[in-house]
Amino acid sequence: MNHDLVALASAYGVATEFWDQAGAHQEVSEDTVVAVLAALGVDATTPEGVAAALHERRIRDWRRTLPPVFVVREGDGATCWVHLPHGDGARMWIELEDGGSRSDVVQVDRWVEPVEVDGTLVGEATFALPGDLPTGWHRLHAEVQGADGGVHTASTVLVVTPRALALPERLRRRRGWGFAAQLYSVRSRRSWGLGDVSDLSDLVSWSGRELGADFVLVNPLHAASPVPPMAPSPYLPVTRRFANPIYLRVEAIPEYAYLTEEHRQQVEVLARTVQPANTSAALLERDPVWMAKRVALELVSKVPRSLGRQSAYDDFVAREGQGLEDFALWCALSDKYGEPAVWPEDLADPRGAAAEKARTDLADHVEFHRWCQWVLDEQLAQAQEAAHDAGMAIGVMHDLAVGVHPEGADAWALRDVLAKDVAVGAPPDMYNQMGQDWSQPPWRPDALAEAAFVPYRDMLRTVLRHAGGIRVDHVLGLFRLWWIPRGMPANAGTYVRYDHDALVGILALEAQRAGAVVIGEDLGTVEAWVQDTLRDRGILGTSILWFEKDDADLPLAPEHWRELALASVTTHDLPPTAGFLAGEHVRLRDELGLLATSYDEELASHEADLAAWLTALRERGLLRDDAGEADVVEALHRYLARTPARLLAVSLADAVGDRRAQNQPGTDQEYPNWRVPLCDGDGAPVLVEDLPDLPFLRRLVAAVRS
């Protein structure tokens, strides 16, 4: 590959080579590199274009007085630069987030060779920031005094992030445990065919009070399209900032009590049309639930609000600001036109005249979608309050997906900071040997920095507002992402590097403000330094029992597991433990054509791994020779309890004896991903009300608490 192209790719964080999961060196094709650079707005199709782009990249910052953002770590005493005409002087000061100011920003003696930019010699002055700045979002100001007496001012965002997150006080003295559940699958008798936030409130309240649980980890609750068909995957939402109103409990909205008798009866009829699904083992269907629930919500939304309720609503709308307005408008436009692919062309720009006109023309629809987010925010707050009242140390632990739908609300409203003509995915690995294309547009690292990371911050704030913890799916995405150019297969992508110091630091800052624990899903090909960086910032890792191996590829002894981690036996991308023991994942991948080797070879490999685990359990006195399947599942959880991991998660599917996987990575329509209801080992549905009477559930709880 041409040296200049390699240099240009490196300047934009685009990898031209990498090492795969097996440790083999891989070179990226020139076509892939050129296509990825194009997605970053860089023309690298000719040698002349490469040279011009490389020159512009090298002098980009020299054209600025200040960068769009400085992100520093608390107590580091970092320095910042100011670019100014060579020979001019400057002074700097800080405007603090709380309204105060700091003038102790001192210039340091550091020589930087000036650079000629557009005929002007530009120098660089270096200033030392105070080492005792409080964490927060501040503004850094510079005043440049010219030799001719003129004065020029500039300002930028200064983000001071915490050195490290701390665990809640109670979890510094003891380990914590909790359930991991796919909320939509966890139904009660009062659900409308899918699990909802009221079911979550009941689950956290019961498990906290009766079992001593510290958290419930749920799937991403991000919003899907309001227009059927509703995508079942919680990991392919239309936005990551706002939640899906399908999780609302209609009857729990205060205004429901003030419906007219006619409208109340109408809502009750709607509920009865979908509630029979609660006791069915059939695959979950979101569209009938949402169609019924939407009609009911529209009736409730029209009930006049009291003075206090209206004030609370107004505060919510003001707090969420433009992001909420854009999301509600996108939903309203979807109501009117359907999928964005068929919208009028002039609506492609969320700041265009057509979109502004639509805000007025579709005001009633916009208002409804704003209102849905408000009442959903209230119910999520009530769930977290129920968790605290039950004595949980963490409470509700939310899940943050990697990205969003390519035609969703975020892709529309945040089009300036998301890359076009590429998708996020994963290179080939041992569990998906063809690679994965998740069809999600990634953040543009350069554009996100130009926006001072504010879109990222606002998303985190909304998700964390009522969270005691957050699990960041594929946390490696804060360091690098696998970009796949449009039209290329998943294995023809390359990695693009991100400013992980900024992204991880801002995550830590917003989590600290919310009082939340952060879990990074750091499975797969993750370098040791990445895990070290996360640990250094107080972000816990993820340990899945089946993946914990030593250098001899044997089960890792429990005393050698990480302490700062959330550990579990299984994950939603594998069958529940009973199904995994039976090789369900091998059979399924073979049926779907996802194996690169033969079924017999894969099954033999699985059985060898399983035999090694059974041996490890027996050697530690956790399993009898005549043990049955349930005994093995329990023993694996007792093995988990012998690790130093600070948090342990019990899959609710394991606790009820379920065997079917919620998701098979690398598939779309081939498998009913995210549509499997919570059932026992015989395939009978299990409701929230049934949980207290399940002896095996209590066995697993006792195992992790032992």
Side-chain angles (χ1 to χ4, degrees):
M1 192 177 299
N2 178 275
H3 174 75
D4 282 351
L5 180 58
V6 172
L8 181 62
S10 177
Y12 279 91
V14 179
T16 55
E17 60 180 355
F18 65 94
W19 281 259
D20 64 20
Q21 189 182 55
H25 179 256
Q26 302 289 343
E27 293 187 358
V28 181
S29 75
E30 185 170 318
D31 287 346
T32 294
V33 172
V34 170
V36 168
L37 285 170
L40 291 165
V42 180
D43 180 5
T45 54
T46 65
E48 295 78 14
V50 169
L54 189 56
H55 172 73
E56 285 300 314
R57 181 64 179 82
R58 285 170 175 165
I59 67 169
R60 182 193 65 182
D61 285 344
W62 288 95
R63 297 185 188 278
R64 319 175 193 258
T65 303
L66 294 170
V69 61
F70 274 115
V71 182
V72 301
R73 192 171 176 180
E74 181 184 25
D76 270 0
T79 60
C80 59
W81 53 260
V82 180
H83 288 151
L84 65 176
H86 186 53
D88 286 359
R91 72 180 185 93
M92 301 194 78
W93 70 97
I94 299 168
E95 180 184 354
L96 297 175
E97 186 177 25
D98 64 5
S101 64
R102 296 286 294 268
S103 59
D104 50 341
V105 185
V106 182
Q107 187 169 357
V108 298
D109 187 11
R110 177 174 174 266
W111 173 254
V112 177
E113 194 70 30
V115 172
E116 184 175 326
V117 180
D118 302 328
T120 300
L121 199 60
V122 177
E124 180 173 297
T126 304
F127 287 78
L129 300 174
D132 60 347
L133 287 172
T135 59
W137 292 77
H138 314 302
R139 289 206 70 83
L140 182 63
H141 299 274
E143 181 181 85
V144 178
Q145 298 95 28
D148 60 357
V151 176
H152 166 68
T153 60
S155 66
T156 189
V157 176
L158 172 62
V159 190
V160 181
T161 66
R163 293 209 65 77
L165 287 171
L167 285 170
E169 179 64 31
R170 281 182 290 174
L171 294 181
R172 297 175 209 169
R173 301 189 301 269
R174 62 170 177 82
R175 74 158 22 126
W177 78 275
F179 287 116
Q182 298 292 307
L183 181 58
Y184 54 84
S185 73
V186 185
R187 303 168 295 180
S188 67
R189 289 181 175 81
R190 294 179 178 176
S191 303
W192 285 40
L194 293 172
D196 58 34
V197 181
S198 288
D199 295 322
L200 175 60
S201 292
D202 286 339
L203 181 58
V204 297
S205 184
W206 168 73
S207 63
R209 294 177 191 277
E210 300 298 324
L211 303 177
D214 290 297
F215 64 87
V216 169
L217 167 62
V218 295
N219 57 280
L221 303 185
H222 309 320
S225 172
V227 179
M230 181 177 287
S233 174
Y235 292 95
L236 189 61
V238 299
T239 176
R240 291 192 291 173
R241 180 172 175 181
F242 299 103
N244 193 338
I246 201 170
Y247 290 112
L248 279 167
R249 176 69 63 85
V250 176
E251 298 89 337
I253 301 171
E255 282 71 29
Y256 174 79
Y258 300 98
L259 285 171
T260 65
E261 184 61 30
E262 177 186 356
H263 286 166
R264 183 191 296 271
Q265 290 179 4
Q266 188 175 347
V267 171
E268 290 172 353
V269 169
L270 288 166
R272 288 196 294 271
T273 64
V274 290
Q275 284 179 333
N278 294 336
T279 53
S280 169
L283 294 174
L284 301 172
E285 298 291 346
R286 287 167 172 79
D287 290 346
V289 172
W290 174 236
M291 291 169 67
K293 194 169 283 191
R294 172 156 186 167
V295 174
L297 290 170
E298 287 176 340
L299 291 173
V300 178
S301 71
K302 292 180 172 63
V303 175
R305 295 183 280 275
S306 69
L307 185 63
R309 294 279 292 163
Q310 183 62 46
S311 179
Y313 173 63
D314 292 341
D315 285 349
F316 170 80
V317 171
R319 185 186 75 210
E320 297 299 332
Q322 191 64 48
L324 177 63
E325 295 299 324
D326 289 344
F327 172 67
L329 175 59
W330 183 89
C331 291
L333 290 169
S334 297
D335 288 341
K336 180 173 182 178
Y337 296 110
E339 295 182 357
V342 298
W343 289 8
E345 290 185 9
D346 57 0
L347 287 172
D349 182 1
R351 300 289 170 262
E356 291 305 315
K357 183 176 184 297
R359 292 181 197 274
T360 300
D361 294 346
L362 302 176
D364 289 346
H365 287 266
V366 172
E367 168 68 9
F368 170 71
H369 292 291
R370 276 196 304 250
W371 174 86
C372 282
Q373 290 304 310
W374 173 55
V375 290
L376 188 47
D377 180 80
E378 288 192 321
Q379 292 193 7
L380 289 170
Q382 291 161 8
Q384 181 63 1
E385 184 178 355
H388 282 162
D389 290 347
M392 285 187 162
I394 295 175
V396 180
M397 188 182 292
H398 287 273
D399 200 348
L400 182 67
V402 178
V404 294
H405 195 285
E407 294 184 353
D410 281 1
W412 179 71
L414 302 177
R415 63 206 301 260
D416 293 336
V417 292
L418 294 175
K420 302 176 181 63
D421 297 325
V422 289
V424 172
D429 58 31
M430 61 186 294
Y431 287 96
N432 198 304
Q433 296 154 352
M434 309 299 177
Q436 299 177 51
D437 184 339
W438 303 332
S439 75
Q440 300 165 335
W443 294 117
R444 274 186 57 165
D446 56 339
L448 194 57
E450 293 288 341
F453 299 102
V454 169
Y456 173 67
R457 177 201 69 184
D458 290 347
M459 174 195 69
L460 291 173
R461 283 187 177 176
T462 301
V463 174
L464 284 164
R465 192 168 304 281
H466 305 303
I470 184 172
R471 172 190 177 272
V472 181
D473 191 47
H474 194 64
V475 75
L476 183 60
L478 302 183
F479 296 77
R480 66 179 188 179
L481 279 172
W482 183 256
W483 285 29
I484 306 164
R486 178 179 295 175
M488 292 188 179
N491 60 4
T494 189
Y495 285 109
V496 174
R497 188 173 63 250
Y498 287 79
D499 184 348
H500 66 269
D501 283 332
L503 294 177
V504 173
I506 292 169
L507 171 62
L509 172 60
E510 296 305 321
Q512 182 186 72
R513 291 183 158 192
V517 174
V518 179
I519 312 297
E521 188 268 291
D522 55 355
L523 306 175
T525 308
V526 180
E527 297 96 330
W529 73 267
V530 171
Q531 294 181 329
D532 292 343
T533 298
L534 294 171
R535 183 184 65 243
D536 185 46
R537 301 306 293 264
I539 294 175
L540 279 66
T542 301
S543 294
I544 305 299
L545 180 136
W546 302 118
F547 305 154
E548 292 295 320
K549 303 289 186 67
D550 61 18
D551 292 339
D553 203 33
L554 294 173
L556 184 65
E559 58 269 20
H560 294 152
W561 285 36
R562 290 182 289 175
E563 178 183 3
L564 293 180
L566 169 67
S568 63
V569 174
T570 190
T571 176
H572 57 255
D573 286 333
L574 292 172
T577 304
F580 189 86
L581 294 173
E584 175 66 16
H585 58 300
V586 179
R587 180 197 62 77
L588 182 57
R589 286 188 293 143
D590 178 59
E591 286 185 2
L592 299 176
L594 298 176
L595 296 180
T597 57
S598 71
Y599 171 78
D600 289 340
E601 289 176 299
E602 287 288 330
L603 185 61
S605 175
H606 164 69
E607 290 176 343
D609 283 345
L610 184 56
W613 276 106
L614 295 177
T615 297
L617 295 176
R618 293 187 179 104
E619 287 177 346
R620 293 181 178 267
L622 298 175
L623 190 67
R624 304 187 313 273
D625 289 339
D626 61 345
E629 179 182 271
D631 299 316
V632 175
V633 176
E634 180 184 356
L636 290 167
H637 285 81
R638 291 193 179 278
Y639 191 95
L640 204 67
R642 293 195 175 189
T643 73
R646 301 302 300 166
L647 297 176
L648 303 181
V650 176
S651 165
L652 193 60
D654 275 357
V656 304
D658 211 340
R659 305 177 71 86
R660 294 176 296 175
Q662 278 292 337
N663 177 52
Q664 173 54 55
T667 64
D668 181 18
Q669 303 299 319
E670 301 92 336
Y671 182 78
N673 295 324
W674 319 113
R675 297 177 56 204
V676 178
L678 190 68
C679 293
D680 63 19
D682 296 324
V686 177
L687 303 184
V688 172
E689 294 90 342
D690 302 327
L691 298 178
D693 299 324
L694 299 179
F696 187 66
L697 180 148
R698 294 184 181 271
R699 281 176 62 184
L700 289 194
V701 170
V704 296
R705 296 186 66 183
S706 62

